[in-house]
Each structure stands twice: as structure tokens, then as C-alpha cells.
Amino acid sequence: AASKLEISMPAVVEVEIGGTARIECNFYIPENASYTYIDWFYVDRSNRQVRLYHITASGVLEDDTDYKKRLSLGEDKALSISAVTAQDARTFVCQVGAGSYGVGENSTELSVYRELPASSNLCSRLSLPPQIARCVSKNSFPPPNITWHKNGEQLHAQENKVTIQSTLTRESSGLYTVSSTLYAPVTREDRHSRYHCTLHYWLRGQGLALESREVKVNVFYPAEHLKLKVVSSSAMVKEGDNVTLVCEADGNPRPVFSFFKKNLNEWQDVSSLAEPDSGVLNLHDVNKSSNGTYKCQSLDLDDMSQIEEAVDLVVNYIEGVHVKMEPSSALREGDSVTLSCDAHSPVGLKYQWRDEKGRKLGEGSQLVLNNLTFETSNTFSCKVMAPSVPGLEQSKKVSVPVEGKPRIVAISSPLYVRQDEVVNLTCKAIAFPRPTVQWNINGTAHEYMDNQHIASNLTVRVSHDLLQAGAMCRVSNKLGVSEKHIQLVDQKSTAESQGVIIVAIIVAILVVAVLGAVIYFLHKKGKIPCGRAGKQDITKPEARKDKIVVEVKSDKLSEEAGLLQGANGEKRPAADQVGQSDGHRP
């Protein structure tokens, strides 16, 4: 039998996060003496012991700590901790006082793990290198053997390279819990490596193996390469585009990015325009001033190393669009003018001319307009385009006013009216500068613009004097005056005149008809002989019978004349034929 106070505790107790850890404290006191007290402690980060329980024969005192609601004591004075968290992975101490036999203590390391949701529930990731992963097998018998594999190849312990730590715990049930922890240095190339563990065990005399799922190590390494690229919706950046500068580095974790723009010989920090911690600089609605060299700089917070990369941003633009008019003096109707368009751009330009209605007039930097009139479009547009940069264009408008004295283009004359009737008199003219319209009579005038024309409507009541004199429209500006008379016609007088004309026409027609009938009657009676061309001169005195000449024009008379020819084929004189046909006349 031992002659002194002895305390035995497991070196390590492993528990899954969320589970309950039970730490036993077994002690031996010589001569079966009783303990004076039992104290439970945990060791904090400062390596200071913080008491949890003070146990005596008279009772149990629980100290006020963060564990207070999660602690309990077993009948054997074992310490139980429920709802274990990762922060509970620390050392717990059991101290026993035995009066004259002195004071003794021992400790247990509480190890916390989380099983992966895989079929084997073997391998779990730990975040801090060089500890790669831990593999746990629970409730097995006999205890299995655990091996480690990297990218499918088995790892073996090597000094200063690969370390494998294993623990074996026999549970109260007689089964075994085996854990194995892999430690290994990692490099940048290991960011794609995959690790897993394999359990080798015997079952019914057969050697079997069970593999865990693969885990990936989060390897931290500084950036070695930096890339800065320009991202735009169009191949060639033009003014008005949105441009994104993207900075990418191959470090892990992502380094801190800063952006700079070169102004003369100095770098201006433009990181305030970038999205936080993204490495993306957005430039909205870029213009000529956005041109220049941009630099991205990465900073690794572990070793404070820096890498930088620069890129040139070229923004294509058109500026200084100007239209010149020759001559620049005032233009009159009939004049000619030459419009010249000019602009500046780092790329080649093309010019196009259009009128105010959008109709294309021509191409080239000059447009010649001949024989100008008031009706000529007075607003022209020069459209400047860059064929090599799709969508890059600007326009400039120019006004070409044609001056001149007014020209009246329409009046309501003649206007048929009735006396005392209210009518509208209309006068429309065109001129520049804008003219004024005046009437020589009183009325209510209303002016309005109709395209380029100025129109005036005068509402008046028709009086006797107005019917007689009419109205005068007078249009004037500083360059001259135009006047036109509006004639008013009485509809009543017009109707009466039209009636008289109709009656005269009817009477004339009747007279001609009667005269024609009399002539025809006299002709049938033989009172009026036929003259040349079927006409009779009734003013001449009666001629002798042998002097009458008849010219036959109708086909019927020609046929009758043919029937009167003699048997020997000789034709008789026309006078004889008529005489035989009609017989002797007294």
C-alpha cells in the first residue's frame, strides 16, 4: 500500500463541441483517512488557477464564475461540464487536502473537437497551421490504427516536416477512443491540397479500412503577382462611358488595395472612389480629364510587402465643335452662305449636315447654301462622328437667319360676304426680323405664328363702306413694307347679276333658234338659193340664173350628182344637174 497521498486523473479528456465532459479525480489517502477538502480549478490564459468548487464534509461551495450554470458534481466528486464550447479547451486541476497527509493535486487537459458530417465521422479541420487536421474514432475495440494521406498519398512522420500525434483513451465501457492529429508545414502550392485520414481495424478476422472525407487547408501566403485591367462595355473607351479598373492579386488573404492616378509627376490617391476591400475602382461618365496612368498597389499585412501595377486609360473624345458662317453679316433673300464645321479629337473625324427636320443635306466639313429664302430652314446641325470609335459623336447647331422686307403670301381675297355679316379677314406674311401686321379698318385682330409665317385674323362686321372700299393689310419691319388689298363682294348683287346673265343667254338662244327656223323654211321654199360652202349671201341682189354656182360638200349630194351623169359617161354641168333635179323655177 502507498504511504502518501496519491491523486490520479486522465491526462486528456476529449469531448465534442456541445457535449458534456466528465473529468474524474481519483485519490488515495493512507490508512483510509478522510479528505479535509477537495477543490476544482481551471487554468486561465494568464496561467492563473481559478477555483470552481470547494468541497468539504459539511457541504459544497460553488464559486461565481462563467462556468456556474454548466457545472455539476458526481457522487464520486467528478467534475462535469455541459454544453462544451471551443473555449473550454483548457487545463482543469483537482486539489485534495488530507490533513496530516498533506495536499496533493493533478490535472487533465480537456480537448474539444467537432466531428465532420461525413459517413465516417473521422477527420475535422483545425484553422491554425501547422496543425492540419484531427481524426477521431470513438467506441471501437480493439483500437484502430490511423494513417494520414495528402492528395491520395500516405504521409509518414518526418522530423521537422510531418508530425503525427495520437492518443488512446479507454472508456468506462471498455471501448476505445482514438484520436490522431496531423501537423505539417504548408506552402503556397498546398492551397489546392486535400487531406484525409484512414482507419485500419480488424473485424471478424478481416483487416478493413474506413476513409474520412477530404478537407482543404486554408493556406496563408503573400501575393507574388498583381494584375490591373480596364473593363469597359466597349472595346474603345469614349467620353460618357463607365469604366471599371479591376486589381487582382494571388495572395491569401486578399491584400489591401490602393489606387492612384498620375498627375504630372505626382501620384494622387483615388482610393476613395474604390469599393471597400474589393480591388475595384469605378469611374463613371469618363471624359478627357479621366485620361492618364492609373496604379494599383497591394499591401500584405503580414510582412508589409508591397506590389504595384500600372495601366494607361485612354478616353477618346470630341471637343471644341465650332460652326463658322461666311459671310457672317446679315443675309438677304437670294444670298448664298458657306457653313464650316471644325472639332478636335485624338482620332479621325467625319462631318454630316442636317436641317432642323433632321433631313440629311450633305457630308464634309463645309455646306454651301445658295439662293436663300425666308422658307429656307434657318437652323442647321453639324454632326461630328468618329468612325473608329462607335458611338462617339457630338452635334452643334447654327442659326442662319435670312433678313428681308415682308412678303405677303396669302390673303382672303376676293371674299364673298353679306352686309352686316361678321367675317374673318386673313393676311399671312413671312419676313425676318419678325414683322408687324396692321389693318386700315377697326376690328378684333388675332396674330399667331404658322411655321415661319406670321398670320393675322381680323374679325369685323361688314358695313356698306367696307363693301365699297374693301380692306388693306399692311405688313412691315425695319427693312420695308408690303401691302395688299382685300376685295369684299356682296353675295346679293352677285346673285342678281348672275340671274340677268342667265336670262340674257336664254333669250339669245331663243332668237337664234327662231332665226334658224325661218332660214330653213325659206330655203325649202326655194326663196334662198345656196351659195359657196353651203352659205347664202342674202344681202346681194338676185343674180341671173346662169350665174349661180353651187359647191356640194355632203356625200349625199355627191351620190345624187353621180346619178345624173349621161349615158355616154359625160358629166353635165352642175347648174344643169340642179336644174334637172329641181325643174324650172319661174
Coordinates of all heavy atoms in Angstrom, one line a residue, residues 139-221:
N139 N -15.5 4.6 -29.6 CA -16.2 3.4 -29.3 C -15.8 2.2 -30.2 O -16.6 1.6 -30.9 CB -17.7 3.6 -29.3 CG -18.2 4.6 -28.3 OD1 -17.6 4.7 -27.2 ND2 -19.2 5.4 -28.7
S140 N -14.5 2.0 -30.3 CA -14.0 0.9 -31.1 C -13.2 -0.1 -30.2 O -12.7 0.2 -29.2 CB -13.1 1.4 -32.2 OG -12.0 2.1 -31.7
F141 N -13.2 -1.3 -30.7 CA -12.4 -2.4 -30.0 C -12.2 -3.5 -31.0 O -13.1 -3.9 -31.7 CB -13.2 -2.9 -28.8 CG -12.4 -3.9 -28.0 CD1 -11.6 -3.4 -27.0 CD2 -12.4 -5.3 -28.3 CE1 -10.8 -4.3 -26.2 CE2 -11.7 -6.2 -27.5 CZ -10.9 -5.7 -26.5
P142 N -10.9 -3.9 -31.1 CA -9.8 -3.3 -30.5 C -9.5 -1.9 -31.1 O -10.1 -1.6 -32.1 CB -8.7 -4.3 -30.8 CG -9.1 -4.9 -32.1 CD -10.6 -5.0 -32.0
P143 N -8.6 -1.1 -30.5 CA -8.3 0.2 -31.0 C -7.8 0.1 -32.4 O -6.9 -0.7 -32.7 CB -7.3 0.8 -30.0 CG -6.7 -0.4 -29.4 CD -7.7 -1.4 -29.3
P144 N -8.3 1.0 -33.3 CA -7.8 1.0 -34.7 C -6.5 1.8 -34.9 O -6.1 2.5 -34.0 CB -8.9 1.7 -35.5 CG -9.5 2.7 -34.5 CD -9.3 2.0 -33.1
N145 N -5.9 1.7 -36.1 CA -4.7 2.4 -36.4 C -5.1 3.5 -37.4 O -5.9 3.3 -38.3 CB -3.7 1.5 -37.0 CG -2.4 2.2 -37.4 OD1 -2.0 3.1 -36.6 ND2 -1.8 1.9 -38.5
I146 N -4.6 4.7 -37.2 CA -5.0 5.8 -38.1 C -3.8 6.2 -38.9 O -2.7 6.4 -38.4 CB -5.5 7.0 -37.3 CG1 -6.7 6.6 -36.4 CG2 -5.8 8.2 -38.2 CD1 -7.2 7.7 -35.6
T147 N -4.0 6.4 -40.2 CA -3.0 6.9 -41.1 C -3.5 8.1 -41.8 O -4.7 8.4 -42.0 CB -2.6 5.8 -42.2 OG1 -3.8 5.5 -42.9 CG2 -2.0 4.6 -41.6
W148 N -2.5 9.0 -42.3 CA -2.8 10.2 -42.9 C -2.4 10.2 -44.4 O -1.4 9.6 -44.7 CB -2.2 11.4 -42.2 CG -2.8 11.7 -40.9 CD1 -2.4 11.3 -39.7 CD2 -4.0 12.5 -40.7 NE1 -3.3 11.8 -38.7 CE2 -4.3 12.6 -39.3 CE3 -4.8 13.2 -41.6 CZ2 -5.3 13.2 -38.8 CZ3 -5.9 13.9 -41.1 CH2 -6.2 13.9 -39.7
H149 N -3.2 11.0 -45.2 CA -2.9 11.0 -46.7 C -3.1 12.4 -47.2 O -4.0 13.2 -46.8 CB -3.9 10.1 -47.4 CG -3.9 8.7 -46.9 ND1 -3.1 7.7 -47.4 CD2 -4.5 8.1 -45.8 CE1 -3.3 6.5 -46.8 NE2 -4.1 6.8 -45.8
K150 N -2.2 12.8 -48.1 CA -2.2 14.1 -48.8 C -2.3 13.8 -50.3 O -1.4 13.2 -50.9 CB -1.0 14.9 -48.4 CG -0.8 16.2 -49.2 CD 0.5 16.9 -48.8 CE 0.7 18.1 -49.7 NZ 1.9 18.8 -49.3
N151 N -3.4 14.3 -50.8 CA -3.6 14.1 -52.3 C -3.5 12.7 -52.7 O -3.0 12.3 -53.7 CB -2.6 15.0 -53.1 CG -2.8 16.5 -52.9 OD1 -3.9 17.0 -52.6 ND2 -1.7 17.2 -53.0
G152 N -4.0 11.8 -51.8 CA -4.1 10.4 -52.1 C -2.9 9.6 -51.7 O -2.9 8.4 -51.7
E153 N -1.8 10.3 -51.3 CA -0.5 9.6 -50.9 C -0.4 9.6 -49.4 O -0.6 10.6 -48.7 CB 0.7 10.3 -51.6 CG 0.7 10.2 -53.1 CD 1.9 10.8 -53.7 OE1 2.8 11.2 -52.9 OE2 2.1 10.8 -54.9
Q154 N 0.0 8.5 -48.8 CA 0.2 8.4 -47.4 C 1.3 9.2 -46.9 O 2.4 9.3 -47.5 CB 0.4 6.9 -47.0 CG 0.4 6.7 -45.5 CD 0.5 5.2 -45.1 OE1 0.2 4.4 -45.9 NE2 0.8 5.0 -43.8
L155 N 1.1 9.9 -45.7 CA 2.1 10.7 -45.1 C 2.8 9.9 -44.0 O 2.1 9.1 -43.2 CB 1.5 12.0 -44.5 CG 1.0 12.9 -45.6 CD1 0.3 14.1 -44.8 CD2 2.1 13.5 -46.5
H156 N 4.1 10.1 -43.8 CA 4.8 9.4 -42.7 C 5.5 10.5 -41.9 O 5.9 11.6 -42.4 CB 5.8 8.4 -43.2 CG 5.2 7.3 -44.0 ND1 4.6 6.2 -43.5 CD2 5.1 7.2 -45.4 CE1 4.1 5.4 -44.4 NE2 4.4 6.0 -45.6
A157 N 5.7 10.2 -40.6 CA 6.3 11.2 -39.7 C 7.7 11.4 -40.2 O 8.5 10.5 -40.4 CB 6.2 10.7 -38.3
Q158 N 8.1 12.7 -40.3 CA 9.5 13.1 -40.6 C 9.9 14.3 -39.7 O 9.1 15.2 -39.5 CB 9.5 13.5 -42.1 CG 9.2 12.4 -43.1 CD 9.3 12.9 -44.5 OE1 9.7 14.1 -44.8 NE2 9.1 12.0 -45.5
E159 N 11.0 14.2 -39.3 CA 11.5 15.3 -38.4 C 11.5 16.6 -39.1 O 12.0 16.8 -40.2 CB 12.9 14.9 -37.9 CG 13.4 15.9 -36.8 CD 14.7 15.5 -36.2 OE1 15.2 14.4 -36.6 OE2 15.3 16.2 -35.4
N160 N 10.9 17.6 -38.4 CA 10.8 19.0 -38.8 C 9.9 19.1 -40.1 O 9.9 20.2 -40.7 CB 12.1 19.6 -39.1 CG 13.0 19.7 -37.9 OD1 12.5 19.9 -36.8 ND2 14.3 19.5 -38.0
K161 N 9.2 18.1 -40.5 CA 8.4 18.1 -41.6 C 6.9 17.7 -41.3 O 6.0 18.5 -41.4 CB 8.9 17.3 -42.8 CG 10.2 17.9 -43.4 CD 10.6 17.1 -44.6 CE 11.9 17.8 -45.3 NZ 12.3 17.1 -46.5
V162 N 6.8 16.4 -41.0 CA 5.5 15.9 -40.7 C 5.5 15.3 -39.3 O 6.4 14.5 -39.0 CB 5.0 14.8 -41.7 CG1 3.7 14.2 -41.4 CG2 5.0 15.4 -43.1
T163 N 4.5 15.7 -38.5 CA 4.4 15.2 -37.1 C 2.9 14.6 -37.0 O 2.0 15.3 -37.3 CB 4.7 16.2 -36.1 OG1 6.0 16.7 -36.2 CG2 4.5 15.7 -34.7
I164 N 2.9 13.4 -36.4 CA 1.5 12.8 -36.1 C 1.5 12.5 -34.7 O 2.3 11.7 -34.2 CB 1.3 11.6 -37.0 CG1 1.4 11.9 -38.5 CG2 0.0 10.9 -36.7 CD1 1.4 10.7 -39.4
Q165 N 0.5 13.1 -34.0 CA 0.3 12.8 -32.5 C -1.0 12.0 -32.3 O -2.0 12.5 -32.8 CB 0.3 14.1 -31.7 CG 1.6 14.9 -31.7 CD 1.5 16.1 -30.8 OE1 0.4 16.5 -30.3 NE2 2.6 16.8 -30.6
S166 N -0.8 10.9 -31.6 CA -2.0 10.1 -31.4 C -2.3 9.9 -29.9 O -1.3 9.9 -29.1 CB -1.8 8.7 -32.1 OG -1.6 8.8 -33.5
T167 N -3.5 9.8 -29.5 CA -3.9 9.5 -28.1 C -4.9 8.3 -28.1 O -5.7 8.2 -29.1 CB -4.6 10.7 -27.5 OG1 -5.8 11.1 -28.2 CG2 -3.6 11.9 -27.5
L168 N -4.8 7.5 -27.1 CA -5.7 6.4 -26.9 C -6.4 6.5 -25.6 O -5.7 6.6 -24.5 CB -4.9 5.1 -27.0 CG -5.6 3.7 -26.8 CD1 -6.7 3.5 -27.8 CD2 -4.7 2.6 -26.8
T169 N -7.7 6.4 -25.5 CA -8.4 6.6 -24.3 C -9.4 5.4 -24.1 O -10.1 5.1 -25.1 CB -9.2 7.9 -24.3 OG1 -8.3 9.0 -24.4 CG2 -10.0 8.0 -22.9
R170 N -9.3 4.7 -23.0 CA -10.2 3.6 -22.7 C -11.4 4.1 -21.9 O -11.2 4.7 -20.8 CB -9.4 2.5 -21.9 CG -10.3 1.2 -21.7 CD -9.4 0.2 -21.0 NE -10.2 -1.1 -20.8 CZ -11.0 -1.3 -19.8 NH1 -11.2 -0.4 -18.9 NH2 -11.7 -2.5 -19.8
E171 N -12.5 3.9 -22.5 CA -13.7 4.4 -21.8 C -14.2 3.5 -20.7 O -13.6 2.3 -20.7 CB -14.9 4.6 -22.9 CG -14.5 5.4 -24.1 CD -14.3 6.9 -23.7 OE1 -14.8 7.3 -22.6 OE2 -13.7 7.6 -24.5
S172 N -15.1 3.9 -19.9 CA -15.6 3.0 -18.8 C -16.3 1.8 -19.3 O -16.3 0.8 -18.7 CB -16.5 3.8 -17.9 OG -17.6 4.3 -18.7
S173 N -16.7 1.9 -20.6 CA -17.4 0.7 -21.2 C -16.4 -0.3 -21.7 O -16.8 -1.4 -22.1 CB -18.3 1.2 -22.4 OG -17.5 1.8 -23.4
G174 N -15.1 0.0 -21.7 CA -14.1 -0.9 -22.2 C -13.8 -0.7 -23.6 O -12.8 -1.3 -24.2
L175 N -14.5 0.2 -24.3 CA -14.2 0.6 -25.7 C -13.2 1.7 -25.7 O -12.9 2.3 -24.7 CB -15.5 1.0 -26.4 CG -16.6 0.0 -26.4 CD1 -17.9 0.6 -27.1 CD2 -16.2 -1.3 -27.1
Y176 N -12.6 1.9 -26.9 CA -11.5 2.8 -27.0 C -11.9 4.0 -27.9 O -12.6 3.8 -28.9 CB -10.3 2.1 -27.6 CG -9.6 1.1 -26.7 CD1 -10.0 -0.2 -26.8 CD2 -8.7 1.5 -25.8 CE1 -9.4 -1.2 -25.9 CE2 -8.1 0.6 -24.9 CZ -8.5 -0.8 -25.0 OH -7.9 -1.7 -24.2
T177 N -11.3 5.1 -27.5 CA -11.4 6.3 -28.3 C -10.0 6.7 -28.8 O -9.1 6.8 -27.9 CB -12.0 7.5 -27.6 OG1 -13.4 7.2 -27.2 CG2 -12.0 8.8 -28.4
V178 N -9.8 6.8 -30.1 CA -8.5 7.0 -30.6 C -8.6 8.3 -31.4 O -9.5 8.6 -32.2 CB -8.1 5.9 -31.6 CG1 -6.7 6.2 -32.2 CG2 -8.1 4.6 -30.9
S179 N -7.6 9.2 -31.2 CA -7.5 10.5 -31.9 C -6.1 10.6 -32.5 O -5.1 10.2 -31.8 CB -7.9 11.7 -31.0 OG -6.9 11.9 -30.1
S180 N -6.0 11.2 -33.6 CA -4.7 11.5 -34.3 C -4.7 12.9 -34.9 O -5.7 13.2 -35.6 CB -4.5 10.4 -35.4 OG -3.3 10.7 -36.0
T181 N -3.7 13.6 -34.6 CA -3.6 15.0 -35.1 C -2.4 15.1 -36.0 O -1.3 14.6 -35.7 CB -3.4 16.0 -33.9 OG1 -4.5 15.8 -33.0 CG2 -3.4 17.4 -34.4
L182 N -2.6 15.7 -37.2 CA -1.6 15.8 -38.2 C -1.0 17.3 -38.1 O -1.8 18.2 -38.2 CB -2.1 15.5 -39.6 CG -1.2 15.8 -40.8 CD1 0.0 14.9 -40.7 CD2 -1.9 15.7 -42.1
Y183 N 0.3 17.4 -38.0 CA 1.0 18.7 -38.1 C 1.9 18.6 -39.3 O 2.7 17.6 -39.5 CB 1.8 18.9 -36.8 CG 1.0 19.0 -35.6 CD1 0.6 17.9 -34.9 CD2 0.5 20.2 -35.1 CE1 -0.1 17.9 -33.7 CE2 -0.2 20.3 -34.0 CZ -0.6 19.2 -33.3 OH -1.3 19.2 -32.1
A184 N 1.9 19.6 -40.1 CA 2.8 19.7 -41.3 C 2.9 21.1 -41.8 O 2.0 21.9 -41.8 CB 2.3 18.8 -42.4
P185 N 4.1 21.5 -42.2 CA 4.3 22.8 -42.8 C 3.6 22.9 -44.1 O 3.5 21.8 -44.8 CB 5.8 23.0 -42.9 CG 6.3 21.6 -43.0 CD 5.4 20.7 -42.1
V186 N 3.1 24.0 -44.5 CA 2.4 24.2 -45.8 C 3.1 25.3 -46.6 O 3.7 26.2 -46.0 CB 0.9 24.5 -45.6 CG1 0.2 23.3 -45.0 CG2 0.7 25.7 -44.8
T187 N 3.0 25.2 -47.9 CA 3.5 26.2 -48.8 C 2.3 26.7 -49.7 O 1.2 26.3 -49.6 CB 4.6 25.7 -49.7 OG1 4.0 24.6 -50.5 CG2 5.7 25.1 -48.8
R188 N 2.6 27.7 -50.5 CA 1.6 28.2 -51.5 C 1.0 27.1 -52.3 O -0.2 27.2 -52.6 CB 2.3 29.3 -52.4 CG 1.4 29.9 -53.4 CD 2.2 30.7 -54.4 NE 2.9 31.8 -53.7 CZ 2.4 33.0 -53.5 NH1 1.2 33.3 -54.0 NH2 3.1 33.9 -52.9
E189 N 1.8 26.2 -52.7 CA 1.3 25.1 -53.5 C 0.3 24.2 -52.8 O -0.5 23.5 -53.5 CB 2.4 24.2 -54.0 CG 3.3 24.9 -55.1 CD 4.2 26.0 -54.5 OE1 4.4 26.0 -53.3 OE2 4.6 26.9 -55.2
D190 N 0.3 24.2 -51.5 CA -0.7 23.4 -50.7 C -2.1 24.0 -50.7 O -3.0 23.4 -50.0 CB -0.2 23.2 -49.3 CG 1.1 22.3 -49.3 OD1 1.1 21.3 -50.1 OD2 2.0 22.5 -48.5
R191 N -2.3 25.2 -51.3 CA -3.6 25.8 -51.2 C -4.7 24.9 -52.0 O -5.9 25.1 -51.7 CB -3.6 27.2 -51.8 CG -3.3 27.3 -53.3 CD -3.1 28.7 -53.8 NE -2.9 28.9 -55.2 CZ -1.7 28.8 -55.8 NH1 -0.6 28.5 -55.0 NH2 -1.5 28.9 -57.0
H192 N -4.2 24.0 -52.8 CA -5.1 23.1 -53.5 C -5.0 21.7 -53.0 O -5.7 20.8 -53.5 CB -4.8 23.1 -55.0 CG -4.9 24.5 -55.7 ND1 -6.0 25.3 -55.6 CD2 -3.9 25.2 -56.4 CE1 -5.8 26.4 -56.3 NE2 -4.5 26.4 -56.7
S193 N -4.2 21.5 -52.0 CA -4.0 20.1 -51.5 C -5.3 19.7 -50.7 O -5.9 20.5 -50.0 CB -2.8 20.0 -50.6 OG -1.6 20.3 -51.4
R194 N -5.5 18.4 -50.7 CA -6.6 17.8 -49.9 C -6.1 16.7 -49.0 O -5.2 15.9 -49.4 CB -7.7 17.3 -50.8 CG -8.3 18.4 -51.6 CD -9.5 17.9 -52.5 NE -10.2 19.0 -53.2 CZ -11.1 19.8 -52.7 NH1 -11.5 19.6 -51.4 NH2 -11.6 20.8 -53.4
Y195 N -6.6 16.7 -47.8 CA -6.1 15.7 -46.8 C -7.3 14.9 -46.3 O -8.4 15.3 -46.2 CB -5.5 16.4 -45.6 CG -4.3 17.3 -45.9 CD1 -4.4 18.6 -46.4 CD2 -3.0 16.8 -45.7 CE1 -3.3 19.4 -46.7 CE2 -1.9 17.6 -46.0 CZ -2.1 18.9 -46.4 OH -1.0 19.7 -46.7
H196 N -6.9 13.6 -45.9 CA -7.9 12.7 -45.3 C -7.2 11.7 -44.4 O -6.0 11.5 -44.6 CB -8.8 12.1 -46.3 CG -8.2 10.9 -47.0 ND1 -7.4 11.1 -48.2 CD2 -8.2 9.6 -46.8 CE1 -7.0 9.9 -48.6 NE2 -7.5 9.0 -47.8
C197 N -7.9 11.1 -43.5 CA -7.4 10.1 -42.7 C -8.1 8.7 -43.0 O -9.2 8.7 -43.5 CB -7.5 10.4 -41.2 SG -9.2 10.6 -40.6
T198 N -7.4 7.7 -42.6 CA -8.0 6.3 -42.9 C -7.8 5.5 -41.6 O -6.8 5.5 -41.0 CB -7.2 5.6 -44.0 OG1 -7.3 6.4 -45.2 CG2 -7.9 4.2 -44.3
L199 N -9.0 4.9 -41.2 CA -9.0 3.9 -40.0 C -8.7 2.5 -40.5 O -9.4 2.0 -41.4 CB -10.3 4.0 -39.3 CG -10.7 5.2 -38.5 CD1 -12.0 5.1 -37.8 CD2 -9.6 5.6 -37.5
H200 N -7.7 1.9 -39.9 CA -7.4 0.5 -40.2 C -7.8 -0.3 -39.0 O -7.2 -0.1 -37.9 CB -5.9 0.3 -40.6 CG -5.5 1.2 -41.7 ND1 -5.6 0.8 -43.0 CD2 -5.0 2.4 -41.7 CE1 -5.2 1.8 -43.8 NE2 -4.7 2.8 -43.1
Y201 N -8.7 -1.3 -39.1 CA -9.2 -2.0 -38.0 C -9.5 -3.5 -38.4 O -9.6 -3.8 -39.6 CB -10.5 -1.4 -37.4 CG -11.6 -1.3 -38.3 CD1 -12.6 -2.3 -38.3 CD2 -11.7 -0.3 -39.3 CE1 -13.7 -2.2 -39.2 CE2 -12.8 -0.2 -40.1 CZ -13.8 -1.2 -40.1 OH -14.9 -1.1 -41.0
W202 N -9.6 -4.3 -37.4 CA -9.9 -5.7 -37.6 C -11.4 -6.0 -37.2 O -11.9 -5.6 -36.2 CB -9.0 -6.6 -36.8 CG -7.6 -6.6 -37.3 CD1 -6.6 -5.8 -37.0 CD2 -7.1 -7.5 -38.3 NE1 -5.5 -6.0 -37.7 CE2 -5.7 -7.1 -38.5 CE3 -7.6 -8.6 -39.0 CZ2 -4.9 -7.8 -39.4 CZ3 -6.8 -9.3 -39.9 CH2 -5.4 -8.9 -40.1
L203 N -12.1 -6.7 -38.0 CA -13.4 -7.1 -37.7 C -13.6 -8.5 -38.3 O -13.5 -8.8 -39.5 CB -14.4 -6.2 -38.4 CG -15.9 -6.4 -38.2 CD1 -16.2 -6.3 -36.7 CD2 -16.8 -5.5 -39.0
R204 N -13.9 -9.4 -37.3 CA -14.1 -10.9 -37.6 C -12.9 -11.4 -38.4 O -13.1 -12.1 -39.4 CB -15.4 -11.0 -38.4 CG -16.6 -10.6 -37.6 CD -17.9 -10.7 -38.5 NE -19.0 -10.2 -37.8 CZ -20.3 -10.0 -38.3 NH1 -20.4 -10.3 -39.6 NH2 -21.2 -9.6 -37.6
G205 N -11.8 -11.0 -37.9 CA -10.6 -11.6 -38.5 C -10.2 -11.0 -39.8 O -9.2 -11.4 -40.5
Q206 N -10.9 -9.9 -40.3 CA -10.5 -9.3 -41.5 C -10.0 -7.9 -41.3 O -10.6 -7.1 -40.4 CB -11.7 -9.2 -42.5 CG -12.2 -10.6 -43.0 CD -13.3 -10.4 -44.0 OE1 -13.9 -9.4 -44.1 NE2 -13.6 -11.5 -44.7
G207 N -9.0 -7.5 -42.0 CA -8.5 -6.1 -41.9 C -9.3 -5.2 -42.8 O -9.3 -5.4 -44.1
L208 N -9.9 -4.2 -42.3 CA -10.8 -3.3 -43.0 C -10.2 -1.9 -42.9 O -9.4 -1.6 -42.0 CB -12.2 -3.3 -42.5 CG -12.9 -4.7 -42.6 CD1 -14.3 -4.6 -42.0 CD2 -12.9 -5.2 -44.0
A209 N -10.7 -1.0 -43.8 CA -10.3 0.4 -43.8 C -11.5 1.3 -44.0 O -12.4 0.9 -44.8 CB -9.2 0.7 -44.8
L210 N -11.5 2.4 -43.3 CA -12.6 3.4 -43.4 C -12.0 4.7 -43.6 O -11.2 5.2 -42.8 CB -13.5 3.3 -42.2 CG -14.7 4.3 -42.2 CD1 -15.7 3.9 -43.3 CD2 -15.4 4.2 -40.9
E211 N -12.3 5.4 -44.7 CA -11.7 6.7 -45.1 C -12.7 7.9 -44.7 O -13.9 7.8 -44.8 CB -11.4 6.8 -46.6 CG -10.3 5.9 -47.0 CD -9.9 6.1 -48.5 OE1 -10.7 6.9 -49.1 OE2 -8.9 5.6 -48.9
S212 N -12.1 8.9 -44.2 CA -12.9 10.2 -43.9 C -13.0 10.9 -45.2 O -12.4 10.6 -46.2 CB -12.2 11.0 -42.9 OG -11.0 11.6 -43.5
R213 N -13.9 12.0 -45.2 CA -13.9 12.9 -46.3 C -12.7 13.7 -46.4 O -12.0 13.9 -45.4 CB -15.2 13.7 -46.3 CG -15.2 14.8 -45.2 CD -16.4 15.6 -45.3 NE -16.4 16.7 -44.4 CZ -15.9 17.9 -44.6 NH1 -15.4 18.2 -45.8 NH2 -16.0 18.9 -43.7
E214 N -12.4 14.3 -47.5 CA -11.3 15.1 -47.7 C -11.5 16.5 -47.1 O -12.6 17.1 -47.2 CB -10.9 15.2 -49.2 CG -10.4 13.9 -49.7 CD -10.0 14.1 -51.2 OE1 -10.5 14.9 -51.9 OE2 -9.1 13.3 -51.6
V215 N -10.5 17.1 -46.6 CA -10.5 18.5 -46.1 C -9.5 19.3 -46.8 O -8.4 18.8 -47.3 CB -10.4 18.6 -44.6 CG1 -11.5 17.9 -43.9 CG2 -9.0 18.0 -44.2
K216 N -9.7 20.6 -46.9 CA -8.8 21.5 -47.6 C -8.2 22.5 -46.6 O -9.0 23.0 -45.7 CB -9.6 22.3 -48.7 CG -8.7 23.1 -49.6 CD -9.5 23.7 -50.8 CE -8.7 24.5 -51.7 NZ -9.5 25.2 -52.8
V217 N -7.0 22.8 -46.7 CA -6.3 23.7 -45.8 C -6.3 25.1 -46.3 O -6.1 25.3 -47.5 CB -4.8 23.2 -45.6 CG1 -4.1 24.1 -44.6 CG2 -4.8 21.8 -45.1
N218 N -6.6 26.0 -45.4 CA -6.6 27.4 -45.7 C -5.2 27.9 -45.5 O -4.8 28.2 -44.4 CB -7.6 28.2 -44.9 CG -7.8 29.6 -45.3 OD1 -7.4 30.0 -46.4 ND2 -8.4 30.4 -44.4
V219 N -4.5 28.0 -46.6 CA -3.1 28.4 -46.6 C -3.0 29.9 -46.7 O -3.5 30.5 -47.7 CB -2.3 27.7 -47.6 CG1 -0.8 28.1 -47.5 CG2 -2.4 26.2 -47.5
F220 N -2.2 30.6 -45.8 CA -2.0 32.0 -46.0 C -0.6 32.2 -46.6 O 0.4 31.6 -46.1 CB -2.1 32.7 -44.6 CG -3.4 32.5 -43.9 CD1 -3.6 31.6 -42.8 CD2 -4.5 33.2 -44.3 CE1 -4.8 31.5 -42.2 CE2 -5.7 33.1 -43.7 CZ -5.9 32.2 -42.7
Y221 N -0.6 33.1 -47.6 CA 0.7 33.4 -48.3 C 0.6 34.8 -48.9 O -0.5 35.2 -49.2 CB 1.0 32.4 -49.3 CG -0.2 32.1 -50.3 CD1 -0.4 32.8 -51.4 CD2 -1.1 31.1 -50.0 CE1 -1.5 32.6 -52.2 CE2 -2.2 30.9 -50.8 CZ -2.4 31.6 -51.9 OH -3.5 31.4 -52.7

